[in-house]
């Protein structure tokens, strides 16, 4: 019903739907993945392009709830993708809400999502990296640290020995991990001479 019209969304938001959905999300995050997807879709519809509701979402603990969800091991790529999208909607054009993400160790959480979930999803990789890029602008030094970590992740895999002794699935997973990290680095390095120099200084070439 929430997504049936903008009027319905406004009515539900006024009745406290955002707070109720956040509490439901926290309750169900380890199970009922279909329902979690539905909750995320409803929250995304409520906060997208609506400053007042995005602010209410943040005040009700929605940002913290999404970051907690992103750290839950059991969730699949679909939930990770939708959670990142809702988080992107929630912080859109708001330095204050973006600061909440950063204060809750958002950069490290998103970096972990890139390593874990973006292996199979190019779209998840792109959206997560774009959000991470926004956080890196807030704290450039921490951003440099993330770039270094991604570079080391690639280097670690490329220096793996005894590839011939690994089964095809293991090799496929390693290739996917390298690809995910390189995709993220490409987005984060684009147009940023300081980060490019950092990669070069760390033998990135």
């Amino acid at each position: 019903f929430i997504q049936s019209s903008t009027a319905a969304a406004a009515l539900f938001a006024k009745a406290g739907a955002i707070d109720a959905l956040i509490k439901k999300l926290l309750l169900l995050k380890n199970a009922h993945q279909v329902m979690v997807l539905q909750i995320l879709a409803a929250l995304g519809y409520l906060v997208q392009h609506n400053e007042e509701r995005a602010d209410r979402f943040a005040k009700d603990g929605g940002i913290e709830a999404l970051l907690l969800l992103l750290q839950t091991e059991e969730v699949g790529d679909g939930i990770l993708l939708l959670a990142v999208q809702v988080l992107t909607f929630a912080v859109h054009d708001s330095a204050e809400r973006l600061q909440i993400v950063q204060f809750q160790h958002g950069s490290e959480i998103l970096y972990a999502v890139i390593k874990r979930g973006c292996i199979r999803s190019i779209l998840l990789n792109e959206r997560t990296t774009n959000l991470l890029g926004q956080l890196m602008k807030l704290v450039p030094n921490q951003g440099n640290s993330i770039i270094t970590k991604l570079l080391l992740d690639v280097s670690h895999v490329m220096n793996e020995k005894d590839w011939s002794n690994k089964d095809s699935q293991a090799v496929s997973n390693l290739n996917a991990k390298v690809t995910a990290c390189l995709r993220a680095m490409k987005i984060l390095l684009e147009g940023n001479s300081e980060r490019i120099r950092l990669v070069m200084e760390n033998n990135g070439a």
Side-chain angles (χ1 to χ4, degrees):
F1 292 113
I2 290 176
Q3 295 168 272
S4 61
S5 68
T6 54
L11 185 63
F12 274 94
K14 189 175 181 180
I18 291 175
D19 183 55
L21 287 168
I22 291 169
K23 288 177 179 175
K24 199 74 172 176
L25 180 64
L26 289 170
L27 185 66
L28 299 174
K29 66 182 178 63
N30 292 314
H32 303 290
Q33 297 214 7
V34 172
M35 189 167 288
V36 170
L37 285 168
Q38 292 173 341
I39 292 170
L40 288 171
L43 285 169
Y45 188 81
L46 285 169
V47 303
Q48 186 179 15
H49 305 313
N50 191 297
E51 182 70 19
E52 182 180 349
R53 294 202 289 263
D55 193 46
R56 170 49 54 195
F57 177 80
K59 288 178 179 177
D60 286 345
I63 290 174
E64 291 86 348
L66 289 177
L67 291 174
L68 190 61
L69 181 63
L70 290 174
Q71 297 175 81
T72 304
E73 292 292 335
E74 295 81 6
V75 302
D77 290 358
I79 289 178
L80 289 176
L81 177 60
L82 203 47
V84 169
Q85 188 61 60
V86 176
L87 190 57
T88 301
F89 291 156
V91 303
H92 181 67
D93 281 347
S94 173
E96 183 179 348
R97 293 193 293 272
L98 199 59
Q99 286 280 6
I100 296 174
V101 179
Q102 181 60 32
F103 184 73
Q104 297 292 330
H105 309 289
S107 293
E108 291 295 331
I109 292 170
L110 293 173
Y111 160 70
V113 170
I114 289 172
K115 287 186 64 178
R116 168 184 155 209
C118 295
I119 289 174
R120 294 173 301 276
S121 172
I122 294 175
L123 186 57
L124 176 57
N125 184 293
E126 181 180 319
R127 290 182 178 176
T128 304
T129 305
N130 285 335
L131 185 53
L132 179 58
Q134 293 181 53
L135 293 175
M136 288 168 67
K137 290 179 182 178
L138 292 179
V139 190
N141 288 340
Q142 189 177 45
N144 292 344
S145 174
I146 296 292
I147 289 291
T148 302
K149 285 182 179 181
L150 287 168
L151 185 60
L152 288 173
D153 289 332
V154 173
S155 176
H156 177 74
V157 174
M158 297 303 291
N159 290 327
E160 281 271 352
K161 296 179 180 179
D162 299 324
W163 282 74
S164 59
N165 294 328
K166 298 181 185 297
D167 61 45
S168 59
Q169 186 58 53
V171 172
S172 177
N173 288 340
L174 288 171
N175 283 333
K177 182 177 179 180
V178 169
T179 302
C181 291
L182 288 174
R183 282 198 193 110
M185 285 182 63
K186 180 180 182 295
I187 294 172
L188 295 173
L189 291 175
E190 193 168 358
N192 193 303
S193 58
E194 182 182 346
R195 292 178 194 159
I196 293 172
R197 186 177 70 251
L198 178 68
V199 170
M200 299 300 290
E201 288 173 354
N202 283 275
N203 300 317

